[in-house]
Amino acid sequence: MPRSEQLLSLRWGDMDAYRHVNNVEVLRLLEEARVRAFGVPAADGSAPMLATGMVVARHEVDYLLPLDYRPEPVAVHLWVERVGGASFQVRYEVREPDPPAPAAGGPRTYVRAVTTCVSYDFDAGRPRRLEEAERARLALLADGPATG
């Protein structure tokens, strides 16, 4: 499937006074999934997208259920949609890695989020247009939310 699934561990220190993972730590989980997805070289050996210049312009986060600390990892599903001239959107679901049986009500999804990323020329200090090779790499992650 084109989407990326990253299994990420929670840390005891991610909890806040309300005994669930703090909203800032949720953004760090999303960041870690994004770095894992875009921080690896392409199949042809070309540089990772993070190395060619990519910045975050915007986050939207919907907290659906409290995410409590536990030693088992959570799954961060990541996929790409809405690729523009210089920007693209990355969508995420933070959920259980193995959905429970249907009788248990289906998979628990804790967070749905979207990040707008912009390709960026650090030398010029401004956004730049996405290159065709980058568009092809983004197309490999094009997908929609899981059903189930």
Side-chain angles (χ1 to χ4, degrees):
M1 181 163 17
R3 75 177 41 225
S4 169
E5 179 185 54
Q6 305 294 332
L7 296 178
L8 301 175
S9 296
L10 302 173
R11 301 172 305 173
W12 179 260
D14 292 344
M15 284 189 299
D16 60 17
Y18 302 107
R19 298 189 318 215
H20 62 261
V21 175
N22 183 273
N23 62 44
V24 172
E25 300 305 329
V26 168
L27 285 173
R28 288 188 179 136
L29 284 172
L30 303 181
E31 175 186 54
E32 181 64 26
R34 197 171 55 254
V35 166
R36 289 183 184 194
F38 296 109
V40 296
D44 65 4
S46 59
M49 286 189 69
L50 286 180
T52 61
M54 183 175 127
V55 297
V56 170
R58 183 171 196 258
H59 289 297
E60 277 183 63
V61 183
D62 292 320
Y63 299 94
L64 307 173
L65 294 169
L67 177 56
D68 297 327
Y69 171 80
R70 80 286 187 83
E72 300 82 20
V74 292
V76 180
H77 289 216
L78 172 151
W79 65 96
V80 171
E81 67 177 26
R82 294 190 186 158
V83 177
S87 66
F88 57 96
Q89 285 187 333
V90 179
R91 289 210 173 256
Y92 317 82
E93 286 185 350
V94 178
R95 54 191 293 165
E96 293 295 331
D98 298 310
R108 292 178 59 115
T109 300
Y110 300 100
V111 173
R112 285 196 180 105
V114 61
T115 298
T116 301
C117 296
V118 176
S119 54
Y120 200 79
D121 182 333
F122 289 107
D123 292 332
R126 61 181 163 79
R128 62 172 176 79
R129 295 194 62 77
L130 286 163
E131 298 172 4
E132 286 307 313
E134 292 171 318
R135 290 177 181 284
R137 291 178 75 179
L138 292 172
L140 294 174
L141 284 170
D143 198 7
T147 57

